[in-house]
Amino acid sequence: MTHTPPAAPAGPVTTLLVANRGEIARRIIRTCRTLGVATVAVHAPGEEDAAHVREADTALRLAVPEGRGPVDAYLDPHALVAAARASGADAVHPGYGFLSENAAFARAVTGAGLTWVGPSAEAVEQMGSKTLAKKVARDAGVPVADALDPADVRAEHLPVLVKAVSGGGGRGMRVIRDLAGLAAGAEAARTEAASAFGDPSVFCEPYVERGRHVEVQVLADRHGTVWALGERDCSAQRRHQKVLEEAPAPGLPERIRQRLHRAARDLASAIGYTGAGTAEFLVPVTGDGLGEPVFLEMNTRLQVEHPVTECVTGLDLVEWQLRIAEGEPLPAGGPPAPRGHAVEARLYAEDPREDWRPRTGLLHTFDVPAATASFTPLTGPGVRLDHGVRTGDTVGTDFDPMLAKVIAYGRDRRDALRRLSAALAGARLHGVGTNRDLLVRALRHPDFARAHHRPEGLHTGFLTGDRLTELARPLADGATERLAALAASLASFEASRGGGALPAGIPAGWRNLPSAPHLRRHTTPDGREITTAFRSVRGAHLPEQEGVRVLSATPDRAVLEVDGLRRAFDVYRTAPDRRGPQGADGPEVFVESALGPVALRVIDPLPEPEATVDPGALPAPMPGTVTAVDVAAGEEVREGQTLLRMEAMKMEHRITAPAAGTVRELPVAAGERVPAGAPLAVLDYTDPDSGPAPAADSGSDGHHAEAAPHDEGLEQ
């Protein structure tokens, strides 16, 4: 049955409240400024200086419920409607995440006489439940995979994916490969789904080990016209969350493309959909190509990856969301044909080498010099940057770890991939660890580059196994790190020549043993020490590295000749902000070159003594919230047993016992927010010598924290 779209609102939008924050709020505000629509931002306490707050015409602070975190400020529909009324807004845009797919919020907005920039509450409700969405899709003739109750799963159904009925983004999912683990996996998914979405309901569906995640962008007006604005491929994922997205989908046979577009239009028409939305499908990868697609879910909002569609169509999707909400029809003649190719990379504050663990801290520098536009569709080949952070921001664990989206648009796929990988490689990202190096290596990987000709090479397992180990390697190798350390040492020496009070007549850098070299010690983020040595004779620097000659050195740049090749290294230093590894408390140093970025920390030659740490104490690997304590004081535990669980940056992390022993103390409780390094548990080990080795960085102990056990691959 086809539903009639809702009637058009009474008039145009004049003032829009953006019920979101960060990058997507800035994106919406940018389009509103172009259209002449006034904007209202909302924010949690402590975000008064956030970029989206400063860029809006008006801003209101939201309250945080007692005992809850900043994210909860954005989850109260009534508070957001009250903010819209208080500010004089006549419309609300939910962005993505938070309440963007909450039918109750949509009803609260329209019930208050405001314009909801999105589909009807009924459409949101039908697609918000994955099980109901499957039924609606099946009735509309869209191919759908079966949904099973966990109690009905049998051996012949394995493997299956346990999924939350509500929500998404990889939360509430567990891959089950044997019946013995089904009950525990389903219960873990229920617990996570209840925490994330307020609904513990889960179901199971067949799990496809290798598939292509392809989605269709839909745009529908209030007059019954539905456009399928091409498709996007989002197969490169980690933990069921997208990392790289592109449009059009490479190597997709035309018959499959047309079938996907038709299915998306039929589904949107069946529920009377209006505005921008996305129908997501899984296309199985077979031995000889791609199989028949099946429907996964529909996102009744703007997608994170919408910029790639904007690049290839030339449309501003946020603008069309507003125009459709005002009742404007889509132009006659159908959607524009895609032109060229666009690829988006999600830049996350996380370390792929340590199970995607979130990284926090002060963002000393955030700069993507190759970017030619921000928050707006590109008018030609180039690089677009949509970001929610700026230089000087502190990255915490309250919100999603995505720092920015970097999008490249080119005349073809090869052009776009080359532009994007170069833009990421040339970005200056200092102070917080990111997945940048993995993104660059993935974009340059032969299997990814050849996906247009060999579509089976790109699938949802692309970032797993041995390939993940390969892709997660730093761009800079050991030889580059040693050169970077030398450049940092030379720059530091040159900086000291121009500063500091010295006795009259004694030049900076003077020493009473001219034959002795200048020694500098640095550590890498993983705790490896690099020592450099050079002599300064009559103004010339002579490094003790074979094949290396110093051509010039200044406080912020060193130019070296390496085996006859000229290499330039730009050096950035920061003031010390926390104690570093191995007793270092010197400043961080970031060295940029064409060989790859290198982060170092200066080792203080006279470090302060460190406080004694109980060898049985397990510190928090990051700031976060304790969601569950799974053991009790006095309990005997085995190696690898889960002691407690934490949530940080929308991910669940398990704190496990590094060795067998007895729980002596549990100084935290469920619901408690803890800083990095706070003691979570204290163990007495059965074998005193079997405890964890000292961590390379006291603020990031990686020996006892594991991410939630999500098998890589895609929900299906």
Side-chain angles (χ1 to χ4, degrees), residues 332-648:
R339 301 169 291 106
H341 200 93
V343 186
E344 173 181 293
R346 300 192 191 189
L347 190 64
Y348 287 113
E350 64 185 14
D351 189 347
R353 293 176 297 172
E354 293 192 20
D355 200 22
W356 312 99
R357 179 178 299 178
R359 291 306 187 200
T360 60
L362 180 64
L363 193 58
H364 297 295
T365 307
F366 180 84
D367 183 29
V368 184
T372 56
S374 290
F375 305 110
T376 186
L378 292 165
T379 57
V383 175
R384 167 177 164 177
L385 174 67
D386 287 13
H387 55 298
V389 296
R390 302 160 295 165
T391 294
D393 284 352
T394 297
V395 178
T397 59
D398 290 315
F399 299 103
D400 188 274
M402 190 176 76
L403 303 177
K405 303 178 310 196
V406 186
I407 308 101
Y409 175 49
R411 71 176 189 273
D412 55 28
R413 188 169 187 266
R414 182 174 63 178
D415 184 24
L417 292 178
R418 182 166 53 195
R419 290 176 186 271
L420 182 55
S421 62
L424 288 166
R428 293 192 287 270
L429 311 170
H430 302 158
V432 175
T434 72
N435 65 334
R436 184 261 304 274
D437 291 8
L438 173 131
L439 294 173
V440 173
R441 288 193 181 278
L443 291 165
R444 293 173 177 174
H445 193 279
D447 286 347
F448 194 89
R450 291 195 297 260
H452 184 72
H453 304 289
R454 296 182 56 193
E456 68 278 6
L458 175 60
H459 50 80
T460 51
F462 184 77
L463 296 178
T464 60
D466 292 340
R467 181 185 283 126
L468 174 59
T469 302
E470 173 193 349
L471 296 178
R473 288 187 298 111
L475 292 175
D477 58 17
T480 299
E481 288 177 333
R482 290 189 291 275
L483 292 172
L486 174 60
S489 300
L490 292 167
S492 175
F493 178 83
E494 289 297 324
S496 70
R497 289 165 61 91
L502 293 169
I506 299 179
W510 180 89
R511 48 191 12 195
N512 61 358
L513 292 174
S515 61
H518 298 277
L519 297 176
R520 298 287 191 277
R521 296 166 61 220
H522 297 87
T523 57
T524 61
D526 59 3
R528 289 177 293 108
E529 182 176 324
I530 301 176
T531 300
T532 58
F534 63 90
R535 291 180 172 82
S536 293
V537 180
R538 298 183 178 87
H541 300 310
L542 306 176
E544 295 187 351
Q545 287 181 235
E546 187 176 351
V548 178
R549 188 163 69 94
V550 179
L551 301 182
S552 64
T554 67
D556 55 13
R557 185 178 174 86
V559 180
L560 310 177
E561 184 180 273
V562 183
D563 296 327
L565 299 175
R566 181 183 182 278
R567 303 286 190 184
F569 298 83
D570 292 312
V571 181
Y572 304 83
R573 286 179 298 276
T574 67
D577 62 336
R578 65 178 178 87
R579 291 191 63 79
Q582 299 181 10
D585 62 356
E588 289 180 283
V589 183
F590 303 95
V591 184
E592 303 279 351
S593 76
L595 298 175
V598 175
L600 301 166
R601 187 175 284 274
V602 179
I603 296 181
D604 189 338
L606 299 173
E608 296 180 3
E610 294 185 346
T612 301
V613 177
D614 190 319
L618 301 181
M622 67 205 77
T625 300
V626 177
T627 56
V629 178
D630 297 279
V631 295
E635 182 176 337
E636 293 185 359
V637 295
R638 65 184 182 280
E639 181 179 351
Q641 182 176 339
T642 298
L643 306 177
L644 52 86
R645 284 165 277 166
M646 291 181 62
E647 182 177 284

Side-chain angles (χ1 to χ4, degrees), residues 8-12 115:
T115 297

Side-chain angles (χ1 to χ4, degrees), residues 18-184:
V18 183
N20 219 293
R21 66 180 297 280
E23 169 264 324
I24 186 55
R26 299 183 72 190
R27 166 71 187 90
I28 296 166
I29 291 169
R30 174 62 178 266
T31 288
C32 287
R33 187 181 301 124
T34 302
L35 296 177
V37 175
T39 54
V40 180
V42 292
H43 64 89
E47 292 189 299
E48 287 77 8
D49 193 45
H52 77 283
V53 173
R54 293 190 298 107
E55 292 167 1
D57 298 302
T58 305
L60 292 92
R61 183 176 63 189
L62 301 171
V64 175
E66 183 70 27
R68 306 303 294 269
V71 68
D72 293 286
Y74 295 90
L75 298 178
D76 184 342
H78 302 294
L80 291 165
V81 170
R85 283 174 161 169
S87 64
D90 50 23
V92 174
H93 194 306
Y96 52 68
F98 296 132
L99 297 177
S100 61
E101 295 179 280
N102 186 293
F105 183 36
R107 287 195 178 94
V109 170
T110 56
L114 306 173
T115 297
W116 169 255
V117 183
S120 68
E122 291 72 25
V124 172
E125 207 159 47
Q126 289 184 80
M127 295 295 103
S129 166
K130 291 183 174 64
T131 50
L132 178 57
K134 284 177 178 287
K135 180 182 183 303
V136 172
R138 184 179 290 108
D139 292 344
V142 176
V144 177
D146 291 334
L148 298 171
D149 186 289
D152 296 330
V153 173
R154 301 292 180 262
E156 61 268 22
H157 298 135
L158 299 174
V160 296
L161 182 67
V162 181
K163 295 176 63 174
V165 170
S166 304
R171 307 294 300 277
M173 289 187 185
R174 295 293 187 277
V175 175
I176 305 300
R177 301 181 185 279
D178 61 79
L179 292 178
L182 177 60

